[in-house]
Amino acid sequence: AQSVTQLDSHVSVSEGTPVLLRCNYSSSYSPSLFWYVQHPNKGLQLLLKYTSAATLVKGINGFEAEFKKSETSFHLTKPSAHMSDAAEYFCVVTGGGADGLTFGKGTHLIIQP
Amino acid sequence: NAGVTQTPKFQVLKTGQSMTLQCAQDMNHEYMSWYRQDPGMGLRLIHYSVGAGITDQGEVPNGYNVSRSTTEDFPLRLLSAAPSQTSVYFCASSYLEMDEQFFGPGTRLTVL
């Protein structure tokens, strides 16, 4: 079994300030972990993925995430927020099989001008 | 490559009607899946397939059927639509189960 908890349903930051979106997971297997972004009325786009290589993963648009096994966390960060980052972000875990991808409930990122 | 395509983009049904949501991919991916997205719930897995002729249930399979006769296509059938099936449906594919999944643009379904 696997699960994902996104610790904040909404995060609001000012443009140019750092972004932190928090994610904790549980999995019976060695998991793969992903962050996806969904802009309003759009499909989902992969930001980055962790698949048991380097624990610090760099993604698109300046985002990165660090896999911490001891804390079962996979938090998403960006040094400087841009207005175009406003979207819904999903943390996702998979161990394969019948569980497929398990999505967190999402974090709505709001960027203040 | 077109990637993952879904049709229709929007659909309105009456309670009890049946319909098929179409999904196709041109990336020769073995793994395909269907999710529904509801406000505050993230995406939940309905059914998945690890290859042609093989399908299995996900977290919320009731009221839905799938089949996989070819690698490219993975239709989702609603047998007798209910208002609880009002949702946005996403199809996804990947080469292997634990790989990055590529998502279609979604189908917004309303059941009255």
Side-chain angles (χ1 to χ4, degrees), chain A residues 2-21:
Chain A
Q2 59 197 25
S3 66
V4 176
T5 302
Q6 291 184 243
L7 298 165
D8 306 291
S9 60
H10 292 79
V11 169
S12 179
V13 302
S14 298
E15 189 175 19
T17 64
V19 174
L20 170 65
L21 305 184

Side-chain angles (χ1 to χ4, degrees), chain A residues 9-103:
Chain A
S9 60
H10 292 79
V11 169
S12 179
V13 302
S14 298
E15 189 175 19
T17 64
V19 174
L20 170 65
L21 305 184
R22 298 182 295 165
C23 172
N24 284 51
Y25 73 92
S26 70
S27 176
S28 302
Y29 311 98
S30 294
S32 292
L33 292 156
F34 307 85
W35 277 97
Y36 284 85
V37 61
Q38 184 180 34
H39 287 93
N41 300 312
K42 300 287 187 185
L44 283 89
Q45 180 184 19
L46 180 72
L47 274 179
L48 50 81
K49 62 181 177 181
Y50 166 78
T51 54
S52 75
T55 57
L56 183 61
V57 181
K58 294 189 184 301
I60 62 171
N61 299 335
F63 285 95
E64 63 181 37
E66 187 172 6
F67 174 72
K68 292 186 177 180
K69 186 174 181 179
S70 60
E71 299 176 10
T72 60
S73 69
F74 191 56
H75 301 335
L76 181 71
T77 60
K78 183 174 180 177
S80 176
H82 192 273
M83 294 299 290
S84 61
D85 294 328
E88 193 83 13
Y89 291 79
F90 294 98
C91 182
V92 182
V93 64
T94 182
D99 291 337
L101 295 184
T102 297
F103 281 73

Side-chain angles (χ1 to χ4, degrees), chain B:
Chain B
N1 286 350
V4 180
T5 59
Q6 291 183 238
T7 56
K9 285 189 166 54
F10 301 94
Q11 182 70 49
V12 179
L13 293 178
K14 295 181 180 178
T15 297
Q17 288 184 314
S18 63
M19 80 159 293
T20 299
L21 307 185
Q22 301 292 344
C23 174
Q25 52 89 12
D26 61 359
M27 297 174 281
N28 202 32
H29 285 166
E30 292 294 328
Y31 187 82
M32 295 185 74
S33 52
W34 276 101
Y35 295 85
R36 60 178 289 173
Q37 183 179 25
D38 302 292
M41 300 290 289
L43 275 74
R44 292 180 292 168
L45 181 65
I46 303 171
H47 285 284
Y48 68 97
S49 169
V50 298
I54 306 169
T55 64
D56 209 343
Q57 296 180 351
E59 179 186 356
V60 288
N62 292 341
Y64 308 95
N65 271 359
V66 292
S67 60
R68 184 98 179 268
S69 55
T70 67
T71 299
E72 295 77 21
D73 300 297
F74 190 44
L76 178 72
R77 279 182 285 277
L78 279 70
L79 309 171
S80 177
S84 61
Q85 294 178 303
T86 294
S87 188
V88 181
Y89 291 85
F90 288 99
C91 179
S93 75
S94 61
Y95 187 63
L96 296 173
E97 291 174 53
M98 292 182 68
D99 284 345
E100 165 196 355
Q101 297 212 7
F102 293 83
F103 284 84
T107 295
R108 187 175 294 274
L109 175 68
T110 301
V111 183
L112 303 175

